[in-house]
């Protein structure tokens, strides 16, 4: 086995070239690199360091980094030869499989950079350990400082004094006290739900669970449409199960109050068609963004979420649904994959400082043993970590005996719908309880039922 000092420090020239090629080809890749705190020193090759420095300099001056501007920047700074010359810079864009993989490229460069930094620290520890003029406790202090220094370089941690947090907290309390309007988050469009939650709060990871065909997607779309149309707040809806055309039909059916089956079959009255046309005029103007990607990898979901937050000002994200997110490592059992995805979604909500609402399937156990009882946190499918990570967990439930009765009533009185219970099973900063809703299935929308509990 070769000695460490005889080995080439960890690096990958090909990945460094792919990273630079992506940055030169796609301006959004530069934002991704900055978000990951990529620095000039993270590149092993001196030429690559010079090129990245030029890219960063241009970006900091609000100029678009591309082959020509980077070459010009290097020429003006006298570093073009150190960067391998104009021909080498130009060749970088010919080796990119896809700039969509920029997060992977950057993380690989960062990983190699961290390994080189660890080797430097290890070398310094070895030298210090032989220095008998120093106390071992002093050496240990230096080691801890160096290791924590590496952590601080890789992660953008921050902290606040309590006095800096207390003032904005008091301002929020004072505002609620004066206005007597406790809605501090985003309104869902369901008054009783807003009263119990004070709205969907920034940085919260919210789960809506139900068995299939109970109305998870319908409820999420109702909330999303209300937020975008009534509150004028930009929302993003990640649809991993249904194509965007199907979602659009549901939105139109709900907004126009036209039977969805009639829309699909074409048997529409002139009045139906007029209401559809009128609703399109409204829906076309709302800040509603659909991401339609089946079996989406979590890394891609996170990248798209960051982009929508930065470019479109999206303030809340819906994901339909958790079980269809591809973790990307099939060597792990599915429950472990879901655990990692759940923690990562919570982390993403905190990073973006917006609520992320995720739909979730419930396991079949409740059908065998539930006897019509509402779901519990134990019924969340694939992973118990979901209930730990979530700030707010809600379940949609339709009692079997109610369902049978209402199916008969539906035939007599179209539009009455299916009584459905929305159970708040967990809330970190508020009460739990139940809200009565009515699912108007033909319009794929929920409406509140005025009952007191």
């Amino acid at each position: 086995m070769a000695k460490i000092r005889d080995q080439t420090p960890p690096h990958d020239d090909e990945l460094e070239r792919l990273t630079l090629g992506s940055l030169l080809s796609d301006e959004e890749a530069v934002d991704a690199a900055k978000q990951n705190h990529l620095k000039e020193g993270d590149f092993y090759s001196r030429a690559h360091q010079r090129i990245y420095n030029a890219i960063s300099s241009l970006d900091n001056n609000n100029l678009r980094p591309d082959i020509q501007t980077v070459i010009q920047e290097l020429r003006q700074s006298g570093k073009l030869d150190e960067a391998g010359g104009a021909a080498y810079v130009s060749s970088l864009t010919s080796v990119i499989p896809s700039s969509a993989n920029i997060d992977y490229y950057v993380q690989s460069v960062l990983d190699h950079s961290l390994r080189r930094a660890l080797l430097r620290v290890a070398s310094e520890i070895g030298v210090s350990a032989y220095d008998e003029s120093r106390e071992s406790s002093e050496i240990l202090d230096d080691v801890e400082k160096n290791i924590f220094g590496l952590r601080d370089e890789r992660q953008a941690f921050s902290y606040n004094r309590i006095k800096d947090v207390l003032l904005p907290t008091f301002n929020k309390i004072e505002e609620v006290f004066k206005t007597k309007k406790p809605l501090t988050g985003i309104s869902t469009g369901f008054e009783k739900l807003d009263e119990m939650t004070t709205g969907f709060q920034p940085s919260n990871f919210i789960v809506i669970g139900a068995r299939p065909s109970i109305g998870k997607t319908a409820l999420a779309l109702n909330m999303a449409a209300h937020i975008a149309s009534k509150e004028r707040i930009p929302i993003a809806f990640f649809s991993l199960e249904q194509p965007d055309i199907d979602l659009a039909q549901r939105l139109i059916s709900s907004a126009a109050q036209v039977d969805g089956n009639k829309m699909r079959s074409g048997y529409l009255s002139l009045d139906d068609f007029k209401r559809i046309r009128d609703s399109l005029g409204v829906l076309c103007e709302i800040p509603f963004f659909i991401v339609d990607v089946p079996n989406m990898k979590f890394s891609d979901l996170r990248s798209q979420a960051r982009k929508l937050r930065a470019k479109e000002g999206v303030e809340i994200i819906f994901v339909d649904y958790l079980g269809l997110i591809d973790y990307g490592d099939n060597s792990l059992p599915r429950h472990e994959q879901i655990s990692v995805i759940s923690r990562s979604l919570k982390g993403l909500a905190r990073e973006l400082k917006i609520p992320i609402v995720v739909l979730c399937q419930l396991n079949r156990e409740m059908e065998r043993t539930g006897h019509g009882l509402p779901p519990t946190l134990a019924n969340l499918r694939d992973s118990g970590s979901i209930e730990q990570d979530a700030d707010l967990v809600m379940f949609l439930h339709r009692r079997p005996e109610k369902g049978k009765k209402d199916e008969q009533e539906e035939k007599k009185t179209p539009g009455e719908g299916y009584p459905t219970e929305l159970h708040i099973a967990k809330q970190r900063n508020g009460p739990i309880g139940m809200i009565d809703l009515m699912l108007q299935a033909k319009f794929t929308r929920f409406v509140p039922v005025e009952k007191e509990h």
Side-chain angles (χ1 to χ4, degrees):
M1 184 175 178
K3 294 181 179 179
I4 290 178
R5 65 172 176 266
D6 296 329
Q7 295 183 14
T8 304
H11 70 285
D12 190 322
D13 278 327
E14 180 66 10
L15 280 169
E16 291 190 2
R17 287 195 294 272
L18 290 170
T19 302
L20 294 171
S22 298
L23 298 177
L24 291 169
S25 302
D26 186 353
E27 62 180 317
E28 294 177 2
V30 179
D31 292 334
K34 291 295 180 76
Q35 288 171 0
N36 284 287
H37 309 291
L38 185 67
K39 301 185 297 297
E40 176 185 356
D42 292 320
F43 291 87
Y44 179 74
S45 163
R46 181 176 293 275
H48 296 163
Q49 291 177 3
R50 297 293 179 260
I51 295 169
Y52 184 73
N53 181 266
I55 291 172
S56 295
S57 178
L58 288 165
D59 183 66
N60 290 338
N61 290 307
N62 296 317
L63 297 172
R64 165 77 177 95
D66 58 25
I67 292 173
Q68 298 304 320
T69 57
V70 167
I71 290 174
Q72 184 63 21
E73 178 73 12
L74 288 165
R75 184 176 286 120
Q76 289 178 353
S77 64
K79 302 292 178 60
L80 185 56
D81 289 339
E82 289 183 37
Y88 181 74
V89 176
S90 300
S91 71
L92 291 171
T93 56
S94 64
V95 293
I96 326 166
S98 171
S99 61
N101 297 323
I102 183 62
D103 283 331
Y104 171 75
Y105 300 149
V106 169
Q107 288 302 322
S108 297
V109 171
L110 289 172
D111 182 68
H112 285 98
S113 174
L114 179 58
R115 291 173 185 273
R116 293 195 301 273
L118 287 170
L119 284 173
R120 286 194 297 272
V121 171
S123 177
E124 291 168 6
I125 292 171
V127 171
S128 298
Y130 280 104
D131 186 358
E132 294 186 357
S133 67
R134 301 182 63 193
E135 293 290 334
S136 58
S137 59
E138 181 186 353
I139 295 171
L140 267 177
D141 287 340
D142 281 351
V143 169
E144 288 180 356
K145 184 171 68 176
N146 289 333
I147 295 298
F148 280 119
L150 290 178
R151 284 187 178 276
D152 290 341
E153 287 177 9
R154 303 297 161 184
Q155 299 182 21
F157 288 130
S158 64
Y159 60 87
N160 293 305
R161 292 183 183 275
I162 186 63
K163 68 177 184 179
D164 297 328
V165 180
L166 287 174
L167 183 57
T169 303
F170 176 75
N171 289 340
K172 181 182 287 189
I173 295 170
E174 184 180 32
E175 181 183 355
V176 173
F177 171 71
K178 288 180 176 179
T179 62
K180 298 298 186 290
K181 294 179 179 178
L183 187 65
T184 57
I186 296 175
S187 170
T188 64
F190 296 93
E191 186 177 351
K192 288 189 177 180
L193 179 60
D194 288 342
E195 288 175 3
M196 295 178 71
T197 62
T198 66
F200 286 168
Q201 302 296 320
S203 302
N204 273 10
F205 174 38
I206 300 161
V207 173
I208 301 176
R211 289 296 297 151
S213 301
I214 300 299
K216 294 188 301 298
T217 303
L219 181 64
L221 278 175
N222 290 171
M223 291 176 175
H226 169 83
I227 293 166
S229 61
K230 303 297 183 185
E231 308 297 327
R232 307 306 295 180
I233 293 173
I235 78 102
F237 201 100
F238 285 72
S239 179
L240 282 64
E241 184 177 34
Q242 298 185 46
D244 51 11
I245 295 291
D246 288 358
L247 288 182
Q249 283 192 344
R250 282 176 169 235
L251 286 169
I252 294 169
S253 174
S254 178
Q257 295 190 48
V258 172
D259 190 331
N261 289 325
K262 288 184 178 180
M263 288 174 54
R264 286 184 286 273
S265 66
Y267 290 102
L268 297 166
S269 67
L270 289 176
D271 185 55
D272 289 336
F273 196 77
K274 181 180 182 300
R275 291 207 303 273
I276 289 173
R277 187 179 57 198
D278 292 343
S279 71
L280 285 178
V282 176
L283 291 173
C284 282
E285 300 301 320
I286 66 176
F288 194 117
F289 304 92
I290 297 177
V291 181
D292 169 19
V293 181
N295 301 317
M296 192 177 202
K297 290 185 178 179
F298 177 74
S299 58
D300 295 331
L301 185 152
R302 179 173 54 197
S303 178
Q304 281 287 346
R306 286 170 173 164
K307 186 186 301 182
L308 284 161
R309 176 67 169 146
K311 288 204 150 191
E312 305 296 347
V314 161
E315 293 187 31
I316 182 169
I317 288 173
F318 291 82
V319 181
D320 185 15
Y321 63 92
L322 180 63
L324 293 179
I325 300 175
D326 183 0
Y327 175 58
D329 182 1
N330 293 327
S331 65
L332 288 177
R334 185 57 181 165
H335 71 275
E336 291 186 21
Q337 295 180 33
I338 293 294
S339 294
V340 176
I341 292 170
S342 173
R343 286 194 299 272
S344 300
L345 284 167
K346 171 59 180 173
L348 184 62
R350 294 195 62 184
E351 174 194 330
L352 301 180
K353 296 181 175 59
I354 62 174
I356 294 183
V357 184
V358 179
L359 309 190
C360 183
Q361 293 275 33
L362 302 183
N363 57 40
R364 293 182 179 275
E365 189 65 24
M366 61 171 291
E367 293 181 352
R368 292 193 290 269
T369 62
H371 303 297
L373 297 175
T376 67
L377 294 170
N379 296 125
L380 287 168
R381 190 169 181 174
D382 289 322
S383 175
S385 70
I386 300 171
E387 64 177 279
Q388 298 171 16
D389 300 324
D391 299 285
L392 174 63
V393 179
M394 298 179 286
F395 296 119
L396 280 174
H397 175 60
R398 193 185 307 153
R399 294 181 185 275
E401 62 271 19
K402 282 190 176 183
K404 290 177 183 177
K405 178 183 175 182
D406 291 323
E407 283 173 9
Q408 296 170 0
E409 292 297 322
E410 181 78 352
K411 295 175 184 177
K412 298 177 184 177
T413 55
E416 282 292 317
Y418 300 95
T420 307
E421 300 165 352
L422 179 63
H423 291 262
I424 300 178
K426 175 188 175 182
Q427 186 174 192
R428 289 195 197 278
N429 300 306
I432 60 174
M434 190 264 284
I435 300 163
D436 280 304
L437 301 175
M438 181 73 73
L439 172 61
Q440 296 179 336
K442 59 177 60 184
F443 303 145
T444 59
R445 74 171 190 169
F446 282 94
V447 294
V449 176
E450 295 304 324
K451 290 183 180 179
E452 294 297 331
H453 289 274

